[in-house]
Amino acid sequence: MFYKKTWEQRKLGQVAKITMGQSPNSKNYTQNSQDYILVQGNADMKRGLVVPRVWTTQVTKRAYKGNLILSVRAPVGDVGKTDFNVVLGRGVAGVQGNEFVFQYLVQMKNSGYWKRYSTGSTFESINSADINEANLTLPTFPEQAVIGNFLSKIDNLIAANGCARPPPNCALLLM
C-alpha cells in the first residue's frame, strides 16, 4: 500500500510531548522495587529498553509505559522505550512518540545529529529547545505505523537469528 501524500518536515515538539527530567533528592533513592523506578541516564537503558536499577520514593517528572526515553547528557541521544511508569532524572527526557519516532530518534543518534547541539566542557548535554526544535521528516500517521512496525520486526528478526539484540533500528540504516 503506497500513500501519495508527501512527507512533511516537522519539529519533534510539534509531534510528540516532551518531558524534561528532574532528579529527585538523592536521599529518596532506594533499592526497593516497590518504589518508583528512576531513570537517570543511559545506564538505565540496555539495548533500547529501560532496565530498572534504582528506585525512588519522590516523584518529580514522569514518563509512562510505552513512552520513549532520550538521554540528554553524556552520551547524548541514546534512546530507549519504557515498559514501566518511571520517574525521569535530569539526564533524560520522556518523549510520547510512536515506533516510527523511536526509530527516527535512534537514526538521529547514529548519524551524529545531536553532536552539533551538544554543549558542556565537563560532559556534553542538550537542552529542551534542542529537542523540541529537532527536525523530523514524517509521513502520514498510517504510514508511520506501517514503517515503524516493519522496522521493529526487522530489529526483532535480526535478534532472533543468533545476534544479541542489535542496536535499535538496524533496518532503518538499510533505507
Side-chain angles (χ1 to χ4, degrees):
M1 166 176 11
F2 293 98
Y3 296 97
K4 297 198 184 241
K5 188 171 181 178
T6 60
W7 290 32
E8 296 178 349
Q9 189 167 39
R10 303 286 302 275
K11 305 285 186 196
L12 180 58
Q14 293 174 320
V15 299
K17 181 180 179 200
I18 312 294
T19 303
M20 298 300 290
Q22 177 183 343
S23 294
N25 188 312
S26 62
K27 72 179 182 180
N28 296 310
Y29 292 5
T30 75
Q31 293 298 314
N32 182 350
S33 63
Q34 300 303 307
D35 291 334
Y36 300 98
I37 298 167
L38 174 61
V39 179
Q40 300 171 308
N42 77 330
D44 300 304
M45 296 185 286
K46 302 289 183 227
R47 301 194 183 283
L49 297 171
V50 167
V51 177
R53 181 181 66 93
V54 178
W55 291 262
T56 182
T57 57
Q58 181 185 8
V59 175
T60 52
K61 300 291 182 89
R62 301 205 60 186
Y64 300 93
K65 181 178 179 175
N67 286 175
L68 312 177
I69 308 295
L70 178 68
S71 174
V72 301
R73 292 185 164 191
V76 169
D78 285 353
V79 64
K81 300 175 193 172
T82 182
D83 291 330
F84 315 97
N85 294 334
V86 299
V87 173
L88 300 170
R90 71 176 173 211
V92 296
V95 179
Q96 289 183 1
N98 60 23
E99 182 67 25
F100 183 88
V101 171
F102 171 76
Q103 297 282 346
Y104 206 108
L105 289 172
V106 173
Q107 179 58 22
M108 291 171 78
K109 164 67 175 180
N110 292 342
S111 69
Y113 177 90
W114 298 111
K115 288 196 179 291
R116 68 183 108 166
Y117 298 101
S118 295
T119 60
S121 56
T122 306
F123 55 87
E124 60 183 26
S125 65
I126 54 176
N127 62 40
S128 62
D130 298 330
I131 298 167
N132 280 293
E133 295 296 312
N135 289 315
L136 286 75
T137 304
L138 303 170
T140 64
F141 282 113
E143 283 182 289
Q144 288 180 39
V146 170
I147 294 167
N149 186 43
F150 174 77
L151 295 175
S152 178
K153 286 181 179 181
I154 294 294
D155 283 345
N156 291 335
L157 184 63
I158 291 168
N161 282 296
C163 302
R165 179 159 167 76
N169 111 325
C170 292
L172 192 55
L173 298 173
L174 301 174
M175 295 178 62

